Amino acid sequence: MYSFYLDMAVFDKLCSATKDNPMIENGGLLFAKFKPKKLIVTDVINAGPLSKRNKYEIILNKEELLTQALELTGNARYFVGTWHSHPPNASLQPSLMDLTTMKNIGKNLVNVYPPVFLIVKYVNNKLIFQAYSLNEKLEIIGIYFKNMSNLKISELD
């Protein structure tokens, strides 16, 4: 089983992207570095201006994201999943569309490493989130991120 870590710079990017328009869904891709049994989310790509957003969904522009993703994957970072926001009055539970997306993406990753999916929202001046992954049977499971301060610098390089 993997331990999951979230770089604080990623948390800050998610916060910034979500609080600017909390009533409209936003989203993007997550990238990570791997260490033995550790998955460290180190980068995030936010949806660009060509993506379609509204209160209920975000439709990511694949070409726009691919261009940005190619820059990150050259730096020993790997695509591990997606993130998206929900409005402040919505749950952090995945919708039916979220579950379908998670399974479609995850079925290509789950045998290599655990995919990561974040649902975030900005409420009362703070970002809150729930993280999910898939097990080998493609069942959705909740996951938790450990504190980055527990890792030694040598474990991140």
Side-chain angles (χ1 to χ4, degrees):
M1 185 66 177
Y2 277 80
S3 296
F4 298 90
Y5 296 86
L6 183 69
D7 188 287
M8 284 309 296
V10 171
F11 184 85
D12 291 343
K13 287 179 183 178
L14 294 172
C15 186
S16 177
T18 304
K19 78 176 183 177
D20 290 343
N21 291 299
M23 297 307 290
I24 296 174
E25 285 203 12
N26 199 358
L29 306 179
L30 299 171
F31 291 82
K33 288 185 175 184
F34 292 93
K35 298 296 168 192
K37 296 297 178 188
K38 291 181 179 78
L39 184 151
I40 306 160
V41 178
T42 57
D43 274 301
V44 61
I45 293 177
N46 295 329
L50 299 178
S51 294
K52 307 272 190 261
R53 300 169 176 85
N54 65 45
K55 185 177 180 179
Y56 304 105
E57 69 181 351
I58 179 165
I59 301 170
L60 300 171
N61 182 286
K62 294 174 187 157
E63 291 79 20
E64 189 175 36
L65 289 174
L66 181 60
T67 300
Q68 295 177 63
L70 289 173
E71 294 173 17
L72 286 180
T73 55
N75 295 323
R77 289 177 178 85
Y78 301 91
F79 168 72
V80 293
T82 63
W83 77 274
H84 76 278
S85 62
H86 280 182
N89 60 343
S91 161
L92 290 174
Q93 295 298 312
S95 67
L96 186 56
M97 182 182 294
D98 294 340
L99 294 170
T100 301
T101 300
M102 289 176 185
K103 289 182 180 184
N104 286 338
I105 291 171
K107 67 184 173 188
N108 296 311
L109 301 177
V110 75
N111 292 321
V112 181
Y113 51 78
V116 177
F117 305 99
L118 291 179
I119 299 177
V120 305
K121 66 180 179 176
Y122 198 77
V123 179
N124 298 324
N125 294 317
K126 66 181 175 184
L127 184 77
I128 59 174
F129 67 90
Q130 178 61 54
Y132 300 93
S133 190
L134 297 173
N135 64 20
E136 296 80 20
K137 296 178 184 176
L138 296 182
E139 298 167 326
I140 306 296
I141 56 172
I143 59 172
Y144 299 93
F145 285 97
K146 295 187 176 189
N147 189 332
M148 285 289 291
S149 64
N150 294 336
L151 281 182
K152 299 179 182 104
I153 297 298
S154 62
E155 291 182 279
L156 296 175
D157 295 327

